Amino acid sequence: MPLDARKPRRTALDAVHRSLGATMTDFAGWDMPLRYGSERDEHQAVRTAAGLFDLSHMGEITVTGPDAAALLDHALVGNIGALRPGRARYTMICRADGGILDDLIVYRLAGGRPGPAGAADEYLVVANAANADTVLGALTERAAGFDAVVRDDRDAYALLAVQGPASPGILAPLTDVPLADLKYYTGAPGDVAGVPALIARTGYTGEDGFELFVSPGDAERLWAALTEAGAAVGLVPCGLSCRDTLRLEAGMPLYGHELSTALTPFDAGLGRVVKFDKAGDFVGRAALEEAAGRAESAPPRRLVGLVAGGRRVPRAGYAVVAAADGAVIGEVTSGAPSPTLGRPIAMAYVDAAHAEPGTAGVAVDIRGSHEPHEVVALPFYQREK
Amino acid sequence: MSNPEQLRYSKEHEWLSPAEDGVATVGITEFAANALGDVVYAQLPEAGSTVTAGETCGELESTKSVSDLYAPVSGEVTEVNDDVVDDPSLVNSAPFEGGWLFKVRVTEEPDDLLSADEYTEFSAG
């Protein structure tokens, strides 16, 4: 569907956001809620109770056909052929030179999902909104010679997420799916509040939670049911602003910040997602084997956590410098005040010589002033399990 | 959102109270506070320092961004709101009251400050 590039797209929940008085923002061509009230309150609600997100901007792509798994093994760096029905995998799609085109979650569907009738072997690939066209194009191009169909399903889904420790308790009474059997990074078809959904135990907040893929026509009904069910335990609507601080505390990379075409998964400290031992060749294999060797023998900059000594906030693009002589030793990729730590935090690529946790003399150039920062291991925050 | 009648406003979204004994109070408007989101750090001019109308005199950090604070008038800073330094969220919760930023002994005032009605129109458009 050709779209007017200047006109942001609106999700199926747009009227709900406006009735809630959300501050909206243009995000990757979508008009999305940035926050409803205080983004710090929304952040804390997800850490202590639950938050409800509209993530319908995410890019859903369905891959079906006898060669669906073989195509994904060829097109992506992960071992998708090993994925059992109902399981999900965090993976990446790279260029031939190893540069990251996007990070993805791939679900192997167990059948009975909403939307167009599913084939026996069916995978749902979820791309970042900003990269959905790129991923769709790359998968389509890489599908040549495979008996598989790549389908743009962005209009077939709305995506709602319930995140936070209270989310299982909110969802359980609304669904026929036994949530105790639904482990982290699995997904199952089922009804939620009478709405057919793919219920996935995934998220981007560092908390327990669920992502619910539903038909756009059912989105408002599901939102209302979740809002009502969660009210007693403190569920609040949450915008993209707190989603960013939640994922930053959890040390999760964001494409365009920690990930880019200029970096391989190994440069980003995520070499574990590249599976060289899978069957057949895949796009980027040769370059990634080199990158793996380089990361082993002569690591370039490493992705680290920084905690500010003061109250000024290190932001994306600021230089990391050696406090002693001001030499540039890295660059901040994401930074924000951390509600949980009570101090500003950042992720940054830092020269290996300065990247060990506890390294002294590391500062960030905050608009001309070299502010001391502590180098720490990621993540900043990990929930108790 | 209503902008108090007795205040005057700059196009950089600061408000200025009527001067008492030559000293006026400065803050940012509710419109600006809402646009910033949760303010987490306020760097304010020091008491005793001189500020110049239209020039930066501090900064406000919120979750998503950092914004310069502009002086709506020229003069000497007589007092800084330590409550806001300790708890910057006052800027969001009470921008026209407890979230005031600093007081200034006014030496010069630009002639383009806006009335409440003019500012309401300005910030809407």
Side-chain angles (χ1 to χ4, degrees), chain A residues 110-125:
Chain A
R113 63 172 196 92
D121 224 0
E122 182 163 355
Y123 295 84
L124 177 64
V125 178

Side-chain angles (χ1 to χ4, degrees), chain A residues 23 34-35 37-41 240-241 244-245 311-315 318 335-337 366-367, chain B residues 33-43 59 61-66 84-88:
Chain A
T23 300
L34 183 64
R35 59 175 180 268
S38 154
E39 61 248 296
R40 293 167 67 79
D41 291 350
L240 294 184
S241 181
D244 192 42
T245 50
R311 293 169 71 179
R312 302 178 85 203
V313 183
R315 309 242 177 217
Y318 289 6
I366 299 185
R367 299 182 296 284
Chain B
N34 286 345
L36 286 176
D38 292 331
V39 176
V40 296
Y41 172 60
Q43 187 184 56
E59 59 189 34
E61 295 246 20
S62 64
T63 298
K64 293 305 262 185
S65 64
V66 57
V84 160
V85 173
D86 291 342
D87 179 11

Side-chain angles (χ1 to χ4, degrees), chain A residues 13-242:
Chain A
L13 292 162
D14 190 71
V16 174
H17 303 320
R18 284 167 206 281
S19 73
L20 289 168
T23 300
M24 305 296 285
T25 188
D26 186 341
F27 184 81
W30 290 80
D31 203 20
M32 298 299 293
L34 183 64
R35 59 175 180 268
Y36 298 85
S38 154
E39 61 248 296
R40 293 167 67 79
D41 291 350
E42 291 169 20
H43 181 112
Q44 295 296 20
V46 173
R47 287 277 179 260
T48 59
L52 179 58
F53 296 82
D54 177 10
L55 306 177
S56 300
H57 61 304
M58 299 297 286
E60 295 88 358
I61 300 164
T62 303
V63 181
T64 57
D67 289 348
L71 160 60
L72 291 171
D73 272 338
H74 166 70
L76 312 181
V77 301
N79 190 348
I80 308 304
L83 204 56
R84 295 202 300 277
R87 295 300 187 93
R89 189 80 89 230
Y90 176 75
T91 186
M92 293 185 185
I93 181 167
C94 290
R95 302 192 303 199
D97 69 359
I100 303 165
L101 282 174
D102 201 8
D103 62 339
L104 310 164
I105 295 180
V106 178
Y107 300 88
R108 184 171 178 192
L109 301 182
R113 63 172 196 92
D121 224 0
E122 182 163 355
Y123 295 84
L124 177 64
V125 178
V126 181
N128 284 297
N131 294 330
D133 284 331
T134 304
V135 175
L136 191 63
L139 286 178
T140 304
E141 192 186 313
R142 294 172 190 186
F146 290 92
D147 187 359
V149 176
V150 176
R151 186 174 71 227
D152 179 358
D153 262 350
R154 280 177 284 185
D155 291 339
Y157 290 107
L159 175 57
L160 282 67
V162 188
Q163 299 280 306
S167 42
I170 293 167
L171 212 57
L174 298 179
T175 182
D176 52 346
V177 171
L179 298 183
D181 298 341
L182 197 65
K183 306 292 183 211
Y184 190 52
Y185 264 73
T186 65
D191 280 5
V192 182
V195 168
L198 168 65
I199 307 170
R201 200 159 201 158
T202 45
Y204 194 51
T205 60
E207 297 298 334
D208 191 7
F210 302 88
E211 295 183 307
L212 308 170
F213 296 84
V214 300
S215 167
D218 291 330
E220 282 199 15
R221 197 169 131 210
L222 180 58
W223 180 279
L226 292 166
T227 299
E228 192 185 330
V233 292
L235 172 132
V236 299
C238 289
L240 294 184
S241 181
C242 81

Side-chain angles (χ1 to χ4, degrees), chain B residues 74-91:
Chain B
S74 300
E76 185 194 338
V77 176
T78 60
E79 189 182 346
V80 169
N81 187 353
D82 289 328
D83 290 345
V84 160
V85 173
D86 291 342
D87 179 11
S89 73
L90 280 171
V91 173

Side-chain angles (χ1 to χ4, degrees), chain B residues 85-113:
Chain B
V85 173
D86 291 342
D87 179 11
S89 73
L90 280 171
V91 173
N92 297 102
S93 58
F96 292 118
E97 292 164 2
W100 65 274
L101 299 178
F102 60 90
K103 299 189 181 198
V104 56
R105 184 175 301 283
V106 181
T107 55
E108 198 180 338
E109 200 180 286
D111 49 21
D112 61 350
L113 291 175

